[in-house]
Amino acid sequence: MSVRNDIGKLHLPEVLDGVTSAADWEVRRQEIVALLAQEEYGPIPDFPCEITYEVGPNERYGGGSADYYQVTITVTTPRGSHAFPLSCVIPRAGRPCPAFVHVNFRGGVPDSYMPSEEISDNGFACFSFCYNDVTMDNADFTDGLAGLVYPDGVRGPHDPGKISLWAWAAMRAMDYIATLPAIDQKNIGIIGHSRLGKTAIWTAANDLRYSFVFANQSGCCGAALTRGAPEDAEHIDQICKTFPYWLCENYKKYVGHIEELPFDQHWLLATIAPRRLYVSSAEEDRWTGPDSQYRACVETAKVWEALGCVPGFTGPDAYPGGNDAFQEGYIAYHSRTGDHFLSRRDWLQFMKYFKKYRNQ
């Protein structure tokens, strides 16, 4: 089945809108970020605060090949303060290392979603935090960081949802990482799975310091196109019913009216251009719409190509499956067997791509 034919039937909003140069694109990119903030995620919070970083004791890690420690990131405002831990594993490489920032579901090192020792053995530093330590994954907007942004727990229609709050925390993690001589500042990637894959893309849309983005099975409101979503995939009516707090309240107006969306999710992916983007799916994880994610990669590649970043994407005009991987373009994609999980196999693919295109 032709991916291009399927895309043509969806009548997707045009993302380039006359862009012919890098300067044009940066203006357009900022317009897209502002629109997505207004209509889908809410903006990254901007509020007066003081940020402090308290570095904990260092431990030898991975048989002495790396260092492990935690940093307590404390946010202080006139309304109060909130702290969350950032775990740091840095190889003893004797030279600046590329790094992953992993927005994770748990705080453990290692974790079932994060083979820290293997990541370190491959030459990568890994910084991670648990999203619930920032603000809980629920509708309570008085909890944690949300309580500093919304002291009464009430949001306006365009105010940030939880994804934007988790993204704010990832940007504060980057602020700390930017002070570390042991890290190659030009080669830092952000990674997340599922709802945190959505968070990873939205973070990098707002923070150009991230040069690589890895979105694993991010689905609806992530890398998957909204238009044309298969019946067995999540749709916006379902996400707005079950997880409305991830997004801004304004997004609900498109339930039952997706044809009125002035964008689709290939616009979100486009905000990463001209940096490196990696989207991944699992064959049995139909809820996240693997075909819709693949369509988005094919469609958004034209943004990279318009900027001279060639090839934008090298996947074929047929839907992949099994354990297919396409890693020759500025947008990479793989599918693997299995279901909804961030696996060691995913990490190995991500590291392979990161190593290949580091410093390019």
Side-chain angles (χ1 to χ4, degrees), residues 30-318:
Q30 291 178 18
E31 291 173 351
I32 292 170
V33 171
L35 180 62
L36 293 173
Q38 174 82 5
E39 299 295 317
E40 187 168 12
Y41 303 102
I44 302 298
D46 183 13
F47 59 102
C49 63
E50 178 186 2
I51 312 293
T52 59
Y53 301 90
E54 181 180 353
V55 179
N58 183 71
E59 302 175 17
R60 301 288 291 273
Y61 188 81
S65 63
D67 294 306
Y68 165 75
Y69 61 93
Q70 281 197 339
V71 176
T72 301
I73 302 176
T74 301
V75 187
T76 302
T77 76
R79 300 168 178 168
S81 64
H82 178 69
F84 64 95
L86 175 71
S87 294
C88 313
V89 176
I90 304 176
R92 293 189 168 192
R95 62 185 182 281
C97 299
F100 289 97
V101 175
H102 182 198
V103 188
N104 199 4
F105 287 88
R106 294 162 297 274
V109 175
D111 176 69
S112 58
Y113 280 7
M114 186 176 66
S116 305
E117 185 171 352
E118 189 162 13
I119 294 167
S120 175
D121 286 345
N122 273 273
F124 294 92
C126 191
F127 301 87
S128 62
F129 64 90
C130 173
Y131 76 138
N132 275 326
D133 287 339
V134 176
T135 183
M136 293 296 291
D137 186 5
N138 58 31
D140 182 2
F141 278 87
T142 65
D143 168 78
L145 178 65
L148 302 182
V149 178
Y150 304 109
D152 58 1
V154 178
R155 294 191 294 157
H158 305 293
D159 288 337
K162 292 286 178 96
I163 285 175
S164 281
L165 299 180
W166 299 325
W168 183 93
M171 294 168 73
R172 304 294 72 77
M174 178 62 100
D175 291 343
Y176 168 73
I177 296 165
T179 69
L180 300 178
I183 302 304
D184 178 356
Q185 300 295 327
K186 294 183 179 180
N187 287 279
I188 300 175
I190 185 166
I191 179 171
H193 167 70
S194 193
R195 68 203 65 183
L196 303 181
K198 311 179 207 300
T199 302
I201 308 171
W202 183 234
T203 301
N206 287 276
D207 193 336
L208 296 176
R209 295 174 294 180
Y210 286 106
S211 50
F212 287 77
V213 181
F214 301 88
N216 190 64
Q217 296 164 246
S218 59
C220 181
C221 298
L225 291 176
T226 302
R227 291 167 172 86
E231 288 186 8
D232 57 357
E234 186 173 31
H235 292 240
I236 68 169
D237 59 332
Q238 295 158 322
I239 203 169
C240 286
K241 179 179 180 180
T242 308
F243 303 110
Y245 48 86
W246 289 352
L247 309 162
C248 70
E249 290 288 326
N250 197 39
Y251 192 61
K252 293 178 181 178
K253 70 185 181 184
Y254 298 110
V255 172
H257 304 282
I258 62 171
E259 72 283 354
E260 297 177 11
L261 269 171
F263 56 87
D264 212 306
Q265 293 305 114
H266 64 303
W267 287 35
L268 173 66
L269 300 187
T271 64
I272 308 306
R275 295 166 289 165
R276 297 276 177 177
L277 170 67
Y278 201 125
V279 173
S280 49
S281 301
E283 193 172 37
E284 297 172 27
D285 183 24
R286 304 308 301 172
W287 189 245
T288 60
D291 291 354
S292 292
Q293 293 183 76
Y294 189 76
R295 288 184 202 124
C297 291
V298 171
E299 177 65 14
T300 201
K302 63 186 180 184
V303 174
W304 274 261
E305 291 164 358
L307 298 174
C309 300
V310 179
F313 182 55
T314 60
D317 190 22

